[in-house]
DNA sequence: CATGAATGAGCGTTCATTCAT
DNA sequence: CATGAATGAACGCTCATTCAT
């Protein structure tokens, strides 16, 4: 699920976009607090402070489509926030550390969004009962983001030779582990996590002198 | 939720116990395959090959109670399997490694049960919408199991001085991480995981000479 | 529904009779407290302190039969209590006042039974939806009890000529009204009610000199 | 439960109001004929001639809410009918007699509604098993209606001094008794009842000359 | 006399969705 | 852009009852 801006997005009127945003925000809160199973149209309606659940199905169609919209919205926002912090870094090393830092910072600042994403990924299923958005999807997305940075570093000589896909997955795993360590006792601070993961990343990637 | 054998357990007739087992086994499969939200009485009925969902509510009462029964059943079985492998180890060091090994082995051999447990813990909620069985509960259970071993090792001089609760939590985290690494690509073998975690545990606990 | 001692009653073993009494007593309490709709086998089982609802259906068959048994039990007990107080009164006048007094006294002393009776009469229905025990039935029973006394008084010259059925119904109505006045504010004492109704009865029946 | 027009009532569309009325009317009939316990959504659906019970829960939510809506609807209709007949009476005496007359007339003309009300009041219970709408509530409502008339009569000198609450309760009791006499054999005509109760009321309240 | 196991029917409720404007 | 009305499908649960010993 490579996330790109929806085609229809440009065609939407400003008020429609606002309504969608309002509903998505409510859905995120409900998902984070009450879980996927209880994230019903009715609860989301209450949270959004709108009059009828019909408004939700009007703007998003089915429940599955709403959930996908939530997922995309969160992913795009995260991407944007991370890109804002990562752009402009001249070297691959700096871009890598900036990216890790930005990712962890975004996670720390948006626990509800993270939880909502998690709820959707672990529960949304298609008619056959198969998970719609497995961990696979999110892993692929991450590889797509990290691999280019890693390749650039290898070409510039900053990084040693390694399998970029495997390294991207490894770093993704480390970040996932950090999420747990930031959210569950004994808690680590964001800064500590950032320090740890960036150190790990640099040691793992730097070209041996 | 320290899991002990249910009081009513002894009072149950053999046939009732068998039926319950049959239904629990079916529930585990459905939970693992289809997730908590789709683990309905009807699906479980099909899996168990019984004629009516009424049989489920007859033996377990409500859905929540069924889920709790599943949870308890899995926990008891895991405890028993681990105890079987751990008992008789003379030293704390051996008991610790045996325990880690047994736990990981059980996990590797019972992926459906692990997944079912996970589904219940992440989705079962009470009327207020709060998670019924948080990670907290499972963490506490693990501490209760590990801490005595660690204390014994400290008294015998095998282990250095450290906070046993914190160490137990840390080892629990390592095992949780290992679950992920055993189940998600790039996959590690059980043996590799065992080796890694036991090494980590021994290094972390051994008394400095 | 002229209530007579059940034929099977003599055939029942002492322990069966005791069990039936225990269950009936529990049913009366549940009916009085929770109403007909909530007077389920399960609630009665709890009250009776027995292990299985099966014991109820074993002794009484269907729910309807249980309710009828409760009704009969109450009616017989009331009849007996009233008869104990009424027997031996030499004149019709005395028997009439004794009867009114005894009836009101029993009612005052057995509010739960009265309420249970009421619940059954107002709610028990047959398959067609018709009330099983209408007010009609209880009225007829009362007439059957009172009319002989009234007729005897007429023959002895104590009472004037009147339609005994109509008079019996009227006195029954007065007693029903007294129940309400004894149970709902502004409450009247049993003694006041007795005095009022007996006065009314004597004035209404006595032969004019 | 002082009955006032529901706030939402004005917000309801004409078609919704019509549907609600249709369903309430059907519910009244079913309640009167089959009793509270058998007044299921399915039976009401049949009576209302609608296609799905879902339409009932759509308009009323839960069964309890439907029953409350029925109760309120009946109470409001009775209030309105009585007010129509009572308004414009110049003296307290006339208003009192008009009110008694109107009340009995409404009761005589709406036996099904009376019965339905009765069924709900005697059977509807909350989760604790306590009656939702006791006789207390209806008594209070009646006092609230009658007391002002009585007070006005006292101030104008038409009525003697007495406790208005107690008198209101007494008149309410007399009316309740009249209901029984109108509906159960030996039946009295409405006119007879009206005559009797109004006479009683006037004698009981008039200021002694 | 008592019990355990099983069962079928029915009920209210919830949920997302569709048909109309 | 928004809303109201209606709907069908599924679910968990409760209840009394029956079939076996």
């Amino acid at each position: 699920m490579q996330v790109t801006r929806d085609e229809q997005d440009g065609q939407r009127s400003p008020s429609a976009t606002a309504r969608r945003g309002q509903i998505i925000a409510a859905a995120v809160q409900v998902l984070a607090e009450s879980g996927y199973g209880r994230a019903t149209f009715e609860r989301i309606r209450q949270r959004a402070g709108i009059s009828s659940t019909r408004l939700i199905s009007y703007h998003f169609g089915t429940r599955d489509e709403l959930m996908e919209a939530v997922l995309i919205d969160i992913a795009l926002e995260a991407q944007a926030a991370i890109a804002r912090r990562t752009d402009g870094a001249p070297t691959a090393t700096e871009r890598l550390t900036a990216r890790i830092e930005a990712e962890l910072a975004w996670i720390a600042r948006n626990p509800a969004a993270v939880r909502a994403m998690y709820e959707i990924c672990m529960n949304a299923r298609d008619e056959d009962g198969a998970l719609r958005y497995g961990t696979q999807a999110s892993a692929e997305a991450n590889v797509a983001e990290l691999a280019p940075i890693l390749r650039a570093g290898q070409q510039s000589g900053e990084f040693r030779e390694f399998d970029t896909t495997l390294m991207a997955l490894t770093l993704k795993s480390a970040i996932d582990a950090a999420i747990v360590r930031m959210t569950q006792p004994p808690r680590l601070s964001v800064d500590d996590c950032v320090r740890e993961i960036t150190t790990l990343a640099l040691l793992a990637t730097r070209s041996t002198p």
Side-chain angles (χ1 to χ4, degrees), chain A:
Chain A
M1 197 185 71
Q2 181 62 328
V3 178
T4 55
R5 192 154 290 282
D6 195 325
E7 306 161 4
Q8 301 178 320
D9 220 43
Q11 303 174 4
R12 262 192 276 273
S13 80
S15 75
T17 306
R19 261 275 184 273
R20 287 173 61 95
Q22 179 188 12
I23 292 169
I24 286 176
V28 167
Q29 290 180 312
V30 173
L31 280 163
E33 280 181 20
S34 304
Y36 188 83
R38 299 192 167 214
T40 65
F41 277 22
E42 175 55 22
R43 281 202 178 82
I44 295 169
R45 180 200 67 76
Q46 281 176 21
R47 254 311 159 82
I50 55 182
S51 65
S52 160
T53 62
R54 187 65 188 74
L55 203 50
I56 303 174
S57 64
Y58 173 68
H59 281 287
F60 294 94
T62 71
R63 184 183 198 247
D64 286 343
E65 286 168 328
L66 168 63
M67 291 304 168
E68 181 147 328
V70 169
L71 218 45
I72 291 173
D73 185 82
I74 294 173
L76 285 177
E77 205 182 297
Q79 268 183 23
I82 292 165
R84 239 176 285 129
R85 289 203 180 199
T86 314
D87 287 352
T91 67
T93 305
E94 281 167 308
R95 260 191 292 156
L96 183 57
T97 53
R99 183 168 178 85
I100 291 169
E101 190 178 343
E103 202 159 325
L104 287 173
W106 185 87
I107 287 165
R109 250 183 301 111
N110 298 279
V114 173
R115 177 77 201 190
M117 226 170 159
Y118 182 81
E119 286 289 331
I120 296 173
C121 288
M122 297 311 288
N123 288 293
R125 291 169 185 265
D126 57 27
E127 316 100 29
D128 309 328
L131 285 173
R132 259 227 173 84
Y133 317 100
T135 45
Q136 205 62 13
S138 112
E140 279 169 21
N142 210 270
V143 169
E145 298 275 332
L146 273 179
I149 300 178
L150 297 173
R151 263 194 301 276
Q154 288 178 331
Q155 284 174 356
S156 72
E158 292 170 72
F159 298 159
R160 64 179 174 87
E161 282 305 309
F162 48 74
D163 182 80
T164 53
T165 300
L166 187 57
M167 181 61 75
L169 284 171
T170 305
L171 292 176
K172 170 67 180 164
S173 304
I175 288 173
D176 285 346
I179 296 178
V180 177
R181 270 188 269 175
M182 291 194 302
T183 54
Q184 283 168 20
R187 282 212 173 83
L188 255 59
S189 74
V190 182
D191 287 345
D192 287 345
C193 278
V194 168
R195 199 171 308 125
E196 194 171 323
I197 308 280
T198 50
T199 303
L200 185 152
L202 292 180
L203 289 173
T205 57
R206 73 173 167 197
S207 56
T208 47

